Structure formats: C-alpha cells, structure tokens
C-alpha cells in the first residue's frame, strides 16, 4: 500500500471513530447471518424445528424486496412499471422493471417458506409473472393463456406457493420482449440448513444486454446488436465493487436473461461451481475454474476463498461486452475509421466530459507516429477516468483513474485486509456530508 493510500484509510478510521464510536461501527455492514422468521418466532419449539440462520445475499445496485408476515406466510408486494434507469453516468434509458427498480428487487426466502406475492400491473400492456426454476403448482407458473389469464394494466393478481427447494432462482415476465425491457429479478431460496462450507459473503449479479440507439432512450428489444451490457442494471464503472475480507469465503450467484451467453471471468483466484439454477451441486462435482459460462436462463453459483488482497476484476470476457457504447459519444468514430486523429478524438472526449460532467479524461499515451499505423486507434482515447462521478464508499481507496480501466459487463471484488475492509464499512455508515468533507480534506 502506498503512503498516501495508507493515510487515506487511517483518516477514515479516525474520523469514523470520532463520529460513531469504534466498537459499534467496526463490525458494521459485514454480512451477518439472519435468523429465519421461524427461528425468531420459534417460542416453544425444539431445536430440531428451528431453521438455521443464513448469510443473506447482497445484490449490489439493486437491493431487496421487504416482506410482511401474515401468520406463517411471507407477503411481498411487487408492481411492474416503467423505470427511468441510469445505466451509465451519461446514459439513462426507459426500461421496465418492478417497484421502480430494474432489475427488480431481490426476493429472499428460506426453504420451506410459504410465499405470497401481491402483484400489480402498472405497465401499459398485459403481463404475467413466472417463477423460474421453482417447483410450484401449475396455476402459479405465470404463463399467459396456459396457466392463467394475462394480467391487464391496472389489475392485481396474487401468487402463492410453498418453496420446498433451495437455490438461486429468478422471477420474470413470461413475454420475450418484456424480458428484454428488464422485467426480471432474483428469487433466492436459502437452504433450511446452511451450506457447507459456509460463505462469509454472498453476492448476486444479474446479466442484461441492451440495444439503445444513439440519442435514443428506449431499448430496441428486437435487435441482435447490443451496445450496452450491464451487471445489476449498470455498466462499469458505475457497478458497485464487491467487498470481501481477506481470507473469507465468497459466494457469487450469477443469472442471465438476455440473448447471449456470457463467460464470466474472475481475476487472480480460482473458484468452484457449487450450484446451478437447479440448486446446490454435490461437493464431489466441484472442480477449479476461473471462468464460468452463464447461459441464457441459467443461474451459476461459484465460491472462492478470497486469498489475495487487491482489486480483482469480474467481467464477461466477450470483448464487445467489455465496452460501453461509444456511439453516443463518438458519432463518426468507428473502430476502422481511417481519418481519426488524436486531436479529433480528444475533442470528442472533452465534449463528453463536459456534458456528464466528469472531472477529466485520461487517455493513455500513444506513439508519435500512431496515426500512420494501420489499425490505429483501437482502445486509445476510449478510456475515461470518471472516478468522482461514480464515487461511493465501495470505491474508496482505489488508485486514481481506476474508472478508466472499467467498461461494460464488469465489476471487481476488492479483497481487503481487516483494517481496510473496516474503514470502508465505516464509511458506508457515515452521513454523506461527513464523507465528503473528509474527501476534500484529503
Ligand atoms: Cu457477455
């Protein structure tokens, strides 16, 4: 760690300690196991009746759907509706989602739970909800005309079923174009007895792709050419880094509902495939890998020991999926453009920087004779440092211009030693103004 970076973290610790008191806040934000509602209400039950606690999944940039209890039933409210979705600092699209969120908020239940979802259709057209991978009565399957009548705009519909499985599932509209508008979300069923080995962190990523023409905001759901690729509804560098304590075990659940299969690659660590959309896989089937192909309609669950400190990329490895659309920005620039000049490219970058606005652009150096080399430019001029625009506690302490190295379907797992992890967790608890003051002080 550099001296200035060390000071960064020290300052955060001192400031946070002053504001909140160390003992309480240092543990803050760590994924703590939650007892199931059965556990909390267990009263006179014997130990055997009580479900285990589990580590809840965190869906960065999305969040969870809360529930209320009606007797022993977990009741969720879910409304399908149009959503203005900012997928990048300079791109907001007109997607569809649930409860103002695209993808929809994560539903987390536990194996054995009775679940009721009070669903409302606020879309301009009919829809239904399908519970992908769940073994439930056919009347709850959410297929229009086959298992139910389409739910008309303005109508409500109640789904209710018992979840006897464990695993990573998702919910989505059972209409192809609506899926491509963003109508899906996680449905995670935690096991009755926690998985072994237990994970310390559990993160979920939803893979989506969008075709949005320049100067347009509505995704073209019939296109096969996708220019925006997102994790949990945002493109890098807007994706929120996943944090892991050095030495911890990390579970990563990935689901895909688009037109492409995505090979998701993790840097610097090996993982094992511990589950699919069908649930947990037996440990005898686990083997080391660092790229997992997540096919359309699949869920893939991988786990790894966060052994090596650092900011490690997690990204789709399809080259075009590691980019953000430059069409909005560069207009006349195509990869093969022969008359691209450094001055022209820089000009384009500066005009984008002004419109966002972000603080600066950060082109890497090019050779003096670059313009005479066939094929130039490729990645030159494309990288955009916008650290301050996408700043959040989880990005705290990253090297300057880190955001210039991240685009498209990409995020990172930050494997952090105890002190640095705690400093960021503390910062997540700070009021926004205090965090800003400290930044300016630094
Ligand atoms: Cu991909």
């Amino acid at each position: 760690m550099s001296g200035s970076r060390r000071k960064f973290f020290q300052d955060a610790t001192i400031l946070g300690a002053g504001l909140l008191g160390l003992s309480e806040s240092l543990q803050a934000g760590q994924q703590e196991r939650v007892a199931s509602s059965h556990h909390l209400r267990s009263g006179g039950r014997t130990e055997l009746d009580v479900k285990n606690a589990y580590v809840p999944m965190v869906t960065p940039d999305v969040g969870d759907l809360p529930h209320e209890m009606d007797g022993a039933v977990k009741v969720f409210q879910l409304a399908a509706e149009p959503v203005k979705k900012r997928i990048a600092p300079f791109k907001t699209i007109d997607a569809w989602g649930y409860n103002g969120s695209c993808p929809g908020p994560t539903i987390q239940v536990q194996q054995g739970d009775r679940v009721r979802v009070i669903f409302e259709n606020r879309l301009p057209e009919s829809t239904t909800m399908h519970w992908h991978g769940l073994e439930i009565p056919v009347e709850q399957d959410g297929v229009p005309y086959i298992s139910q009548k389409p739910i008309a705009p303005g109508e409500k519909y109640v789904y209710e079923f018992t979840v006897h499985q464990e695993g990573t599932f998702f919910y989505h509209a059972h209409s192809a174009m609506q899926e491509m508008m963003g109508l899906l979300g996680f449905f995670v069923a935690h096991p009755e007895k926690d998985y072994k080995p237990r994970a310390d962190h559990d993160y979920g990523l939803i893979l989506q792709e969008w075709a949005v023409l320049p100067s347009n905001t509505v995704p073209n759901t019939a296109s096969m050419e996708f220019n925006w690729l997102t994790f949990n509804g945002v493109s890098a560098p807007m994706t929120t880094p996943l944090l892991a304590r050095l030495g911890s075990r990390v579970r990563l659940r990935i689901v895909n509902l688009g037109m492409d299969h995505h090979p998701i690659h993790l840097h610097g660590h090996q993982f094992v495939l511990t589950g699919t959309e069908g649930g947990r896989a037996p440990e005898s089937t686990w083997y080391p890998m660092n790229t997992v192909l997540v096919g359309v309609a699949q869920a893939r669950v991988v786990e790894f020991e966060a052994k090596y400190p650092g900011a490690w990329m997690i990204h789709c490895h399809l080259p075009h999926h590691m980019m953000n659309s430059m069409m909005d920005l560069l207009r006349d620039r195509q990869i093969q453009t022969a008359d691209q000049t450094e001055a022209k490219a820089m000009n384009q970058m500066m005009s984008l920087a002004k419109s966002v606005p972000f603080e600066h652009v950060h082109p890497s150096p090019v050779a003096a004779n670059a313009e005479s080399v066939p094929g130039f430019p490729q990645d030159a001029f494309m990288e955009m440092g916008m650290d301050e625009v996408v700043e959040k506690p989880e990005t705290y302490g990253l090297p300057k211009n880190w955001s210039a190295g991240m685009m498209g379907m990409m995020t990172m797992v930050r494997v952090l030693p105890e002190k640095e992890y705690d400093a960021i967790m503390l910062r997540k608890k700070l009021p926004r103004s205090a965090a800003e003051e400290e930044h300016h002080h630094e």
Side-chain angles (χ1 to χ4, degrees):
M1 202 188 327
S2 73
S4 65
R5 198 155 158 251
R6 187 174 296 114
K7 184 174 178 304
F8 228 51
F9 283 112
Q10 279 168 355
D11 284 356
T13 308
I14 291 162
L15 178 79
L19 284 178
L20 297 169
L22 263 179
S23 57
E24 175 205 19
S25 43
L26 280 185
Q27 299 305 318
Q30 209 183 340
Q31 286 183 21
E32 280 156 20
R33 319 196 124 216
V34 299
S36 73
S37 54
H38 289 241
H39 192 152
L40 293 172
R41 296 179 299 100
S42 61
R45 294 182 190 205
T46 66
E47 275 299 304
L48 286 175
D49 293 330
V50 176
K51 290 182 182 180
N52 272 2
Y54 57 84
V55 179
M57 186 185 79
V58 170
T59 320
D61 304 305
V62 174
D64 280 2
L65 185 65
H67 70 269
E68 289 176 341
M69 296 303 296
D70 177 11
V73 183
K74 283 186 175 165
V75 182
F76 296 88
Q77 310 260 357
L78 208 49
E81 59 190 0
V83 175
K84 290 255 182 237
K85 179 67 196 177
R86 192 166 170 239
I87 58 172
F90 47 92
K91 191 73 183 176
T92 297
I93 64 170
D94 283 293
W96 290 0
Y98 299 100
N99 294 25
S101 175
C102 178
T106 293
I107 296 177
Q108 304 205 45
V109 302
Q110 196 168 13
Q111 191 175 22
D113 279 347
R114 183 78 179 166
V115 175
R116 183 181 307 144
V117 180
I118 300 171
F119 176 78
E120 185 184 346
N121 182 9
R122 297 184 196 149
L123 296 171
E125 62 185 41
S126 297
T127 190
T128 56
M129 186 70 93
H130 173 60
W131 311 98
H132 190 105
L134 289 175
E135 296 173 352
I136 52 178
V138 71
E139 311 82 64
Q140 307 301 320
D141 197 42
V143 179
Y145 307 107
I146 308 290
S147 60
Q148 68 172 94
K149 278 196 288 191
I151 306 163
E155 271 186 11
K156 283 193 174 180
Y157 192 91
V158 177
Y159 293 95
E160 186 166 328
F161 46 82
T162 300
V163 179
H164 74 84
Q165 296 155 276
E166 54 71 31
T168 307
F169 309 101
F170 47 107
Y171 61 86
H172 64 81
H174 206 273
S175 307
M177 300 295 96
Q178 290 183 2
E179 291 168 12
M180 296 305 292
M181 282 295 278
L183 288 172
L184 82 154
F186 265 114
F187 188 107
V188 170
H190 294 279
E192 211 152 20
K193 293 208 160 61
D194 203 0
Y195 301 123
K196 287 196 175 86
R198 67 176 292 267
D200 304 289
H201 305 277
D202 192 331
Y203 289 109
L205 295 174
I206 288 178
L207 317 181
Q208 287 169 284
E209 47 199 355
W210 313 88
V212 193
L213 292 170
S215 307
N216 206 328
T217 60
V218 179
N220 176 0
T221 56
S223 176
M224 289 295 287
E225 299 279 330
F226 300 98
N227 56 351
W228 288 98
L229 287 298
T230 56
F231 275 157
N232 293 342
V234 285
S235 294
M238 244 172 80
T239 45
T240 297
L242 318 180
L243 305 180
R245 273 183 199 275
L246 181 62
S248 65
R249 186 174 180 88
V250 183
R251 177 179 302 128
L252 186 57
R253 309 174 192 243
I254 311 161
V255 305
N256 175 16
L257 195 60
M259 290 291 295
D260 286 303
H261 313 300
H262 302 284
I264 303 297
H265 176 60
L266 169 68
H267 286 206
H269 292 76
Q270 314 308 319
F271 53 60
V272 287
L273 180 72
T274 59
T276 71
E277 66 281 353
R280 187 77 164 177
E283 191 165 345
S284 58
T285 67
W286 300 357
Y287 53 89
M289 56 206 294
N290 50 54
T291 304
V292 62
L293 184 63
V294 188
V296 175
Q298 291 184 329
R300 289 291 175 266
V301 183
V302 299
E303 293 180 12
F304 60 96
E305 304 294 337
K307 285 185 195 167
Y308 308 109
W312 301 105
M313 298 295 103
I314 299 173
H315 62 93
C316 176
H317 221 298
L318 292 188
H320 288 188
H321 294 185
M322 301 161 64
M323 301 167 71
N324 290 330
S325 171
M326 294 293 114
M327 299 289 280
D328 295 280
L329 158 65
L330 298 177
R331 295 186 184 91
D332 52 347
R333 161 150 189 201
Q334 298 294 323
I335 288 295
Q336 72 278 19
T337 294
D339 61 351
Q340 181 72 359
T341 64
E342 182 165 353
K344 205 163 132 194
M346 281 304 294
N347 214 18
Q348 290 165 332
M349 296 298 277
M350 294 310 279
S351 63
L352 177 78
K354 262 186 225 148
S355 72
V356 174
F358 56 83
E359 74 276 24
H360 54 236
V361 293
H362 177 63
S364 50
V366 299
N369 69 336
E371 282 162 30
S372 67
V373 178
F376 177 84
Q378 293 299 326
D379 292 294
F381 313 132
M382 297 293 249
E383 65 279 72
M384 293 179 286
M386 52 177 96
D387 297 4
E388 288 185 20
V389 174
V390 296
E391 182 183 9
K392 55 193 94 169
E394 289 86 349
T395 65
Y396 185 60
L398 286 170
K400 189 170 167 56
N401 279 321
W402 66 270
S403 56
M406 297 189 67
M407 282 173 269
M409 205 176 248
M410 186 177 283
T411 186
M412 60 172 79
V413 57
R414 298 186 67 187
V415 179
L416 298 165
E418 194 84 356
K419 254 189 169 163
E420 296 182 34
Y421 182 90
D422 289 340
I424 290 182
M425 284 304 158
L426 197 57
R427 207 175 161 82
K428 279 174 70 122
K429 279 206 143 186
L430 289 180
R432 179 78 183 155
S433 56
E436 271 161 15
E437 259 170 48
E438 186 208 358
H439 175 82
H440 290 272
H441 168 73
E442 164 70 20

